[in-house]
Structure formats: structure tokens, C-alpha cells
Amino acid sequence: MTQPAPFVSRVMEVEKDWIDYNGHMNMAYYNVLFDRCSDEAFDAMGLGADYARDRKLTIYTAEIHVCYVQELHLADRVTVTWQLLDHDEKRLRAYQEIRHVDGWLAATSEALSLHIDMAGPNVAPFPADVRQRVEAMRAAHAGLPMPERAGRSIAIKRRTA
């Protein structure tokens, strides 16, 4: 199976209940869009809801960094990309972008996810068949450039006199 590079979600629309008192999409719902795309990407690697139900293994988010670039408003239509930047036997590092269907960037996200054995729950290695699908996704994404916004940190830069 050929993996898309990067993975691109279905088109999603900003919902009425997501609009806050400032008249734009509340910050929490950017994460909803990122999460929905992640679920689609995980499904493509065999790590979705069926995997959790049938094998009692799943993915948990350990860390996430979101940058809000441009406001989204009611009924805006977007797609979300998901790029696997790195992985090891238990973790995935992914970068995502929310783009309006007109092409402009609304937000970015970088996340570290853990593979979990739900019996613990404990962090656990990917089974061999899943590891192969993760490696196939990584191979498909290996030719993509490292996103400029990946690896960012939060800091207040001070001027020195």
C-alpha cells in the first residue's frame, strides 16, 4: 500500500459550537482538527479504533506544541496534513498543518505520541506488523523537507542593553 506524503485529511468544516466570544474558532478546536487528522493517519497505519478494540493497544499523546498562525471562522473549510518526522520502537514524532481550502496556513502542531499497552497502561513496543507500517509511512515521508516550524520552543527573548 502506497502511503501519501504527507498524509492529508478529508476536508473538515469549522462548526458553530467551536466559535468563541471573539468571533473566531476557539483554540481548543484547532486540537480537535489535529486529532481528527491524526486518527485518520493512525487508521492508515493500522493504529486506529479497531486496533485499540481488537488488540488492546493504542496511541496516547505525550506532548504537543501548537502555533496559531491565522484565525479560522465559522464554516471555513480546511484540510490537515500529518507528517511522520521520526519514530522508534515505542514513539512517534509528527508534524501537522491546518490549511484553509484556499491554501493559507491556519495553525501548526508538533506532537510526540506513545504506543500503549492498555492492560497497564504501559508504554510498549509496536508489534512487528505495525512497526512495518510505521516504517512504510516514515519511508514515504523521508523525502519531505523538515518543516520550518518543527522543533520550536517557547521562550521570551530579552533584549540586552
Side-chain angles (χ1 to χ4, degrees):
M1 175 172 130
T2 304
Q3 297 289 351
F7 179 89
V8 180
S9 74
R10 62 188 162 76
V11 175
M12 296 178 272
E13 189 171 303
V14 175
E15 299 177 16
K16 178 179 163 279
D17 291 340
W18 298 357
I19 304 303
D20 65 18
Y21 56 83
N22 293 312
H24 61 244
M25 190 166 82
N26 179 275
M27 62 182 257
Y29 296 100
Y30 288 81
N31 283 309
V32 169
L33 292 170
F34 287 127
D35 192 50
R36 287 180 179 174
C37 176
S38 293
D39 284 346
E40 291 179 22
F42 293 154
D43 279 340
M45 291 186 290
L47 291 164
D50 292 343
Y51 180 68
R53 182 192 66 237
D54 298 342
R55 296 177 74 173
K56 307 299 185 235
L57 299 166
T58 194
I59 299 293
Y60 284 7
T61 300
E63 183 176 344
I64 193 161
H65 185 156
V66 176
C67 294
Y68 305 95
V69 179
Q70 190 167 338
E71 295 176 357
L72 289 170
H73 297 92
L74 181 62
D76 279 346
R77 294 170 37 113
V78 302
T79 58
V80 184
T81 58
W82 190 92
Q83 180 180 345
L84 185 57
L85 299 177
D86 197 6
H87 70 88
D88 64 15
E89 69 279 356
K90 301 177 185 178
R91 299 174 294 183
L92 303 171
R93 177 182 170 215
Y95 173 81
Q96 294 182 271
E97 292 184 346
I98 297 174
R99 288 196 174 269
H100 191 275
V101 293
D102 290 341
W104 50 266
L105 181 65
T108 66
S109 175
E110 186 173 357
L112 180 67
S113 300
L114 307 174
H115 184 255
I116 301 293
D117 179 341
M118 295 165 69
N122 298 313
V123 179
F126 295 107
D129 62 316
V130 172
R131 187 176 61 249
Q132 288 176 340
R133 289 191 297 272
V134 168
E135 289 170 356
M137 181 75 81
R138 179 65 189 121
H141 293 189
L144 296 171
M146 179 61 73
E148 181 182 324
R149 291 179 162 270
R152 294 173 62 120
S153 64
I154 297 173
I156 297 174
K157 295 181 180 170
R158 306 276 186 214
R159 292 186 189 176
T160 56

